[in-house]
């Protein structure tokens, strides 16, 4: 039985969409590569093997349909197209290019991940969700959405948990306030910087005495350091 994480390529120019997908993938224990344009996607597909691909129809330089046509020999896994159009001809074009599913933007993240799991199951790809991991003094149990420091369980809100999960899963990586807002609240939420700052302030208090693990990146956002 293969215990390696499922490897997924997300080819999408919109960083907020990528962050939402990444947050869900982290929760599943999957490994993610990102491409912001068609050329980058082609290079990754020719160098690496993936178990699933999420491909935007509106990629810069080379659109998603052409990317897939140019990499047919390398791609041996399910492909989900995501696109702005809901028109029948655009959906059909995605399937004719070799896609296995199509989802119109904006979409519900949970729907996307159900579709991803279904395709992985249909294609016989085994995956095992990593239920627990640690980042510095913090231990996160995904199955119960519980967070511990030592034996002490933290009482976090759903938003605080989502923020902490994203930050802890990528130590050292700086996230903009917009990316954190989109990941924890969803792209349709009409909040702002103060919403993120308020929740980070509350989260830091609950992480005491390790509140300094969440660092402020001035003029940008936040990052987690072990």
């Amino acid at each position: 039985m293969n215990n390696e994480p499922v490897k997924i390529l997300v080819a999408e120019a919109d960083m907020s969409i990528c962050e939402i997908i990444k947050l869900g993938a982290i929760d599943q224990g999957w490994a993610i590569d990102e491409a912001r344009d068609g050329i980058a996607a082609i290079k990754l597909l020719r160098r690496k093997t993936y178990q699933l691909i999420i491909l935007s129809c509106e990629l810069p330089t080379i659109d998603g349909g052409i990317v897939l046509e140019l990499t047919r020999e390398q791609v041996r896994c399910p492909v989900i197209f995501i696109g702005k159009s809901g028109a029948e001809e655009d959906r059909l074009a995605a399937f004719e290019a070799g896609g296995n599913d199509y989802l119109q933007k904006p979409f519900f993240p949970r729907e996307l991940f159900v579709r991803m799991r279904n395709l992985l199951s249909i294609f016989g790809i085994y995956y095992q969700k990593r239920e627990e991991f640690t980042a510095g003094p913090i231990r996160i149990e995904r199955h119960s959405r519980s967070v511990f420091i030592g034996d002490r369980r933290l009482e976090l809100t759903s938003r605080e948990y989502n923020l902490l999960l994203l930050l802890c899963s990528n130590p050292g990586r700086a996230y903009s306030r917009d990316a954190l807002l989109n990941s924890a609240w969803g792209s349709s939420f009409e909040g702002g910087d103060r919403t993120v700052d308020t929740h980070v302030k509350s989260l830091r208090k609950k992480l005491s005495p390790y509140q300094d693990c969440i660092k402020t990146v001035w003029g940008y956002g936040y990052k987690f350091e072990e």
Side-chain angles (χ1 to χ4, degrees), residues 54-115:
I54 299 175
L55 197 53
S56 172
C57 295
E58 298 89 16
L59 282 175
T61 65
I62 302 175
D63 68 52
I66 300 298
V67 167
L68 191 53
E69 290 180 12
L70 293 174
T71 55
R72 283 187 186 277
E73 293 184 2
Q74 289 80 26
V75 176
R76 295 288 185 270
C77 67
V79 177
I80 299 177
F81 275 99
I82 55 176
K84 296 177 181 177
S85 175
E88 180 182 10
E89 59 267 25
D90 293 317
R91 291 175 176 270
L92 290 175
F95 286 112
E96 289 171 355
N100 303 95
D101 201 352
Y102 182 96
L103 195 57
Q104 184 180 359
K105 305 174 188 176
F107 52 81
F108 294 105
R110 285 192 297 179
E111 179 183 357
L112 172 63
F113 279 91
V114 168
R115 291 172 184 247

Side-chain angles (χ1 to χ4, degrees), residues 100-209:
N100 303 95
D101 201 352
Y102 182 96
L103 195 57
Q104 184 180 359
K105 305 174 188 176
F107 52 81
F108 294 105
R110 285 192 297 179
E111 179 183 357
L112 172 63
F113 279 91
V114 168
R115 291 172 184 247
M116 292 168 72
R117 289 193 296 268
N118 285 346
L119 281 175
L120 289 171
S121 177
I122 290 170
F123 276 71
I125 300 169
Y126 169 78
Y127 70 91
Q128 184 175 19
K129 182 176 177 179
R130 189 161 60 112
E131 294 290 355
E132 181 179 314
F133 77 100
T134 59
I138 299 168
R139 176 167 55 90
I140 297 177
E141 295 181 356
R142 289 192 179 91
H143 62 282
S144 62
R145 292 175 64 88
S146 300
V147 178
F148 297 86
I149 293 179
D151 294 328
R152 175 169 63 95
R153 179 175 177 173
L154 307 186
E155 296 298 327
L156 303 183
T157 67
S158 177
R159 307 302 189 193
E160 290 168 349
Y161 173 86
N162 289 343
L163 285 172
L164 186 62
L165 177 64
L166 181 60
L167 291 168
C168 285
S169 61
N170 292 281
R173 175 172 177 173
Y175 287 91
S176 69
R177 287 178 173 82
D178 283 343
L180 293 170
L181 190 69
N182 288 331
S183 296
W185 280 263
S187 58
S188 62
F189 182 76
E190 296 181 355
D193 290 354
R194 289 184 61 83
T195 301
V196 176
D197 293 343
T198 299
H199 280 74
V200 168
K201 182 179 180 180
S202 174
L203 183 57
R204 280 172 167 163
K205 287 182 179 180
K206 294 179 181 181
L207 290 174
S208 180

Side-chain angles (χ1 to χ4, degrees), residues 133-137 168 170-172 212-215 223-226:
F133 77 100
T134 59
C168 285
N170 292 281
D212 289 341
C213 286
I214 300 180
K215 303 290 187 182
K223 64 179 179 179
F224 180 87
E225 290 187 354
E226 297 183 16

